[in-house]
Amino acid sequence: MIETLRHPGPVSARRWAVARCTAEPVEVVLPVAETFAKSAALALADYDGGWLVIENETLTTLDFVIPGEDATGAHAAWYAGPYQMGAGRIDHLGMHVGRKDGAAWIHGHGVFDAPGWEGPRMGHILPFESRLAHPIRARGWGIRGARLQVCAELETNFPLFQPVDLGGGTNAALVTLRPNQDMNAALALAAAEAGITDGQVLGLGSIVRPKLQGQPRIDSHATELLLTQGTLQNGVARIETEIVTLDASIHKGWLEPGQNGVCITAELLVIAG
């Protein structure tokens, strides 16, 4: 069984959103700009959005948060931090590149470090506070025909990325999942709606008290996760993740099917193949 979390708003009858798109592999350079989000958007200026992976690159300012409590009760979970590394290094980071209020926006989770750093090492990078010291390289997928755009989401009371159809595409789909449903099962159903039963899955999200194969259940009602591997085979999803918890501990493994309820959201790029 999945673990669940009570959210403040009304439960939507539709438990995922899907938009078809076309995805193509890219290797790009993020230029120096006033914010990390703007640098990412400029790197994908020829596309409607995309998914980028950055490895072993240094930022002049690297700020991030980890899962936290919301003492106000306005949300089922919130953030702790910000943690400010200064000239921190991205060990590895995966991020969706989209739009918010008409401007560049990213949602990225990764593992970070800096000389002498003794704080958390994995979390959610801050798009406006973080900045590049110099151009850096990234690889991933540029997408056309859809994009992720931040919209108000009543159930969780968060502004969240949601897929927006810009004309559709041929070989991929953007998928977002709402809370309190098994991530593997919901992903497979949403991808099937887009006509995809085999392929790879990229993205990030959060899970309530995750259960990884061969490991005890993780006692953290809020987490941040990054997919390290993801596949669909004959309509069955397999997902390997790296997870950071409320106490900043990091865990890695394959999600146990039927045991991992979405906490706030999952934002996924599914590529047929």
Side-chain angles (χ1 to χ4, degrees), residues 200-212:
Q200 64 175 306
V201 184
L202 309 162
L204 47 75
S206 56
I207 286 176
V208 183
R209 297 184 180 89
K211 178 67 175 71
L212 303 177

Side-chain angles (χ1 to χ4, degrees), residues 26-238:
V26 296
E27 293 187 5
V28 296
V29 174
L30 278 65
V32 175
E34 56 268 31
T35 69
F36 188 51
K38 185 64 178 293
S39 293
L42 288 171
L44 288 175
D46 293 336
Y47 297 89
D48 293 319
W51 171 260
L52 293 178
V53 174
I54 297 170
E55 297 176 318
N56 299 318
E57 294 283 4
T58 301
L59 275 62
T60 189
T61 306
L62 202 167
D63 290 6
F64 67 99
V65 294
I66 68 171
E69 306 280 2
D70 186 349
T72 71
H75 310 86
W78 194 241
Y79 302 106
Y83 295 94
Q84 299 170 315
M85 278 190 165
R89 189 189 81 243
I90 294 172
D91 184 321
H92 56 274
L93 170 77
M95 63 179 176
H96 290 290
V97 182
R99 308 285 287 178
K100 179 181 181 181
D101 299 328
W105 190 251
I106 61 166
H107 188 184
H109 293 173
V111 173
F112 317 116
D113 204 359
W117 181 254
E118 296 182 355
R121 292 193 60 248
M122 181 179 179
H124 166 121
I125 196 165
L126 294 177
F128 288 165
E129 294 82 355
S130 300
R131 294 176 177 82
L132 301 187
H134 51 78
I136 64 174
R137 295 189 176 277
R139 58 181 171 80
W141 297 82
I143 62 173
R144 294 189 175 95
R147 71 163 165 249
L148 289 172
Q149 184 167 304
V150 174
C151 305
E153 205 284 306
L154 296 179
E155 184 173 345
T156 61
N157 196 29
F158 274 91
L160 298 175
F161 263 152
Q162 296 292 341
V164 176
D165 188 338
L166 301 175
T170 58
N171 71 329
L174 288 168
V175 172
T176 59
L177 306 178
R178 292 191 170 89
N180 297 331
Q181 55 184 333
D182 178 67
M183 183 177 287
N184 290 49
L187 162 62
L189 289 170
E193 185 177 294
I196 302 174
T197 57
D198 294 274
Q200 64 175 306
V201 184
L202 309 162
L204 47 75
S206 56
I207 286 176
V208 183
R209 297 184 180 89
K211 178 67 175 71
L212 303 177
Q213 291 181 358
Q215 303 180 39
R217 188 174 289 279
I218 300 166
D219 188 16
S220 181
H221 70 263
T223 61
E224 302 269 27
L225 66 85
L226 172 68
L227 274 66
T228 50
Q229 295 186 69
T231 62
L232 274 171
Q233 293 182 320
N234 297 318
V236 176
R238 296 185 70 241

